[in-house]
Amino acid sequence: WIGIPFSAMYIIALMENSLLFIIIKSEPCLHEPMHTFLFMLGATDTALSTSIVPEMLRIFWFHFQEVNLDACIAQTYFLHGLSLTQSGVLLDMAFDHFTAICNPLGCTSVLTNTKIIKIRLEILIKSFMLIIRSFIFIAPIIHLKCFRSCHSYIIFHSFCLHQDLLRLSCSNIRFNSFYALALVICTLLFDSILILESYILILHVLAILSPEEWFKSLQTCVSHICAVLFFYIPIISLTVVHHFGKHLSSVVHVLMGNICILFPSLMNFKIYSKTQQMRTRIQKWFSMKR
């Protein structure tokens, strides 16, 4: 029965993100940096949940409780790589909000066709670099195949995590353990600090604006703040459960792990459909379909 709500969450998230992709793609006025990054965020969320949910449902519904080591390592690779990509996209969105608020005329009076093409090219290069950064950083995960396993072959979740695979090994895992910790500090923590710094700078800018301008500018940031919270809070909660909840039932760990994967993807559309620009385009799109 536990697969029913997770499959429903996955289908809803898939439909909502697909709708988001169609609207952003079909509306020329949404071809700007913020919505391009939103497109990337939705695509990363969808890819991440798709790499996990089908295998999870295969376990819950068809009792296929064995996974090939190569497939497990591949799933771990994409899981952690896409998570780091999500973090990078959220960081770029924070920088984009800061730029838009500090230079509000940049979206209207300064953008020529040449400038738009240049911005799109920069976003494409930046997106490619985000993905490359994420998957190069986690390259040592592939090295797990060379480890000798002598412990239980049962992993802790309904999907493969790096720390679960390390527990199976009786080889020297000191480097991998240290590298995983350093990777979290140098990416997720570093990205979150830069996001926080961006909003501190935004608050300094808002302090000199009139109350009307302050409220209007703040509205553009609320959706992104919610997206950041919905990404980092589940990860922090899962980490706390991992380290301090070892006495808890395995069901709790399975629930926390799957919610951590599905929740950001499920909330992505709900967050950004509340913005005035997206809400107007969604209403227009549905009225055209009728």
Side-chain angles (χ1 to χ4, degrees):
W1 65 267
I2 200 174
I4 297 175
F6 286 132
S7 62
M9 290 170 64
Y10 173 68
I11 292 172
I12 292 172
L14 194 62
M15 293 174 62
E16 289 179 342
N17 283 303
S18 298
L19 177 61
L20 193 69
F21 301 153
I22 293 171
I23 292 174
I24 293 176
K25 182 68 176 177
S26 60
E27 292 289 341
C29 63
L30 297 181
H31 296 174
E32 55 186 22
M34 186 188 78
H35 293 97
T36 303
F37 286 128
L38 176 57
F39 189 99
M40 282 184 58
L41 184 64
T44 307
D45 287 337
T46 302
L48 180 59
S49 57
T50 301
S51 68
I52 300 298
V53 175
E55 182 68 22
M56 177 188 68
L57 296 180
R58 197 171 74 104
I59 297 170
F60 287 156
W61 289 349
F62 303 105
H63 304 290
F64 292 153
Q65 296 182 334
E66 294 182 0
V67 59
N68 181 272
L69 178 60
D70 292 335
C72 192
I73 292 175
Q75 188 182 57
T76 303
Y77 186 70
F78 283 105
L79 170 61
H80 293 287
L82 291 169
S83 297
L84 295 181
T85 304
Q86 277 182 296
S87 179
V89 173
L90 289 171
L91 174 59
D92 276 344
M93 292 176 78
F95 287 157
D96 179 67
H97 282 302
F98 172 69
T99 304
I101 290 175
C102 290
N103 185 22
L105 296 179
C107 298
T108 55
S109 60
V110 182
L111 289 183
T112 61
N113 287 334
T114 305
K115 187 71 172 178
I116 291 173
I117 293 174
K118 183 179 178 182
I119 289 174
R120 289 180 180 174
L121 184 61
E122 289 175 352
I123 291 175
L124 183 63
I125 295 173
K126 188 177 291 186
S127 305
F128 182 73
M129 293 304 295
L130 276 175
I131 297 172
I132 293 297
R133 179 199 80 160
S134 302
F135 285 93
I136 286 180
F137 279 3
I138 62 168
I141 287 179
I142 301 176
H143 183 60
L144 290 173
K145 185 175 173 60
C146 302
F147 284 2
R148 184 167 59 91
S149 298
C150 59
H151 298 153
S152 170
Y153 287 92
I154 299 175
I155 60 176
F156 212 48
H157 291 87
S158 53
F159 52 86
C160 298
L161 286 173
H162 182 251
Q163 54 265 40
D164 284 346
L165 292 179
L166 287 180
R167 290 193 187 103
L168 305 182
S169 175
C170 55
S171 302
N172 186 356
I173 60 172
R174 183 176 300 175
F175 169 77
N176 287 69
S177 299
F178 175 78
Y179 184 83
L181 178 62
L183 185 61
V184 171
I185 294 174
C186 294
T187 52
L188 296 183
L189 182 60
F190 183 68
D191 288 352
S192 62
I193 290 174
L194 290 178
I195 290 172
L196 180 61
E197 183 181 358
S198 298
Y199 277 101
I200 291 174
L201 295 174
I202 287 173
L203 289 175
H204 283 297
V205 175
L206 294 180
I208 63 175
L209 300 178
S210 65
E212 294 79 11
E213 293 174 325
W214 184 89
F215 182 74
K216 183 177 180 180
S217 299
L218 189 62
Q219 279 184 314
T220 64
C221 301
V222 170
S223 297
H224 180 254
I225 293 172
C226 291
V228 171
L229 293 176
F230 289 147
F231 173 73
Y232 281 103
I233 289 178
I235 289 180
I236 294 172
S237 302
L238 182 62
T239 304
V240 171
V241 169
H242 259 300
H243 287 280
F244 303 106
K246 295 180 180 179
H247 62 284
L248 297 175
S249 168
S250 60
V251 175
V252 175
H253 291 271
V254 170
L255 286 172
M256 287 296 299
N258 289 317
I259 289 174
C260 184
I261 296 298
L262 282 170
F263 191 67
S265 179
L266 183 66
M267 297 304 297
N268 192 36
F269 179 82
K270 295 175 177 60
I271 293 171
Y272 284 97
S273 63
K274 302 299 182 183
T275 62
Q276 182 177 357
Q277 195 173 12
M278 281 298 300
R279 186 168 64 248
T280 302
R281 297 302 162 185
I282 291 171
Q283 291 172 350
K284 175 185 174 183
W285 193 81
F286 276 109
S287 62
M288 290 173 59
K289 292 301 177 182
R290 294 195 191 99

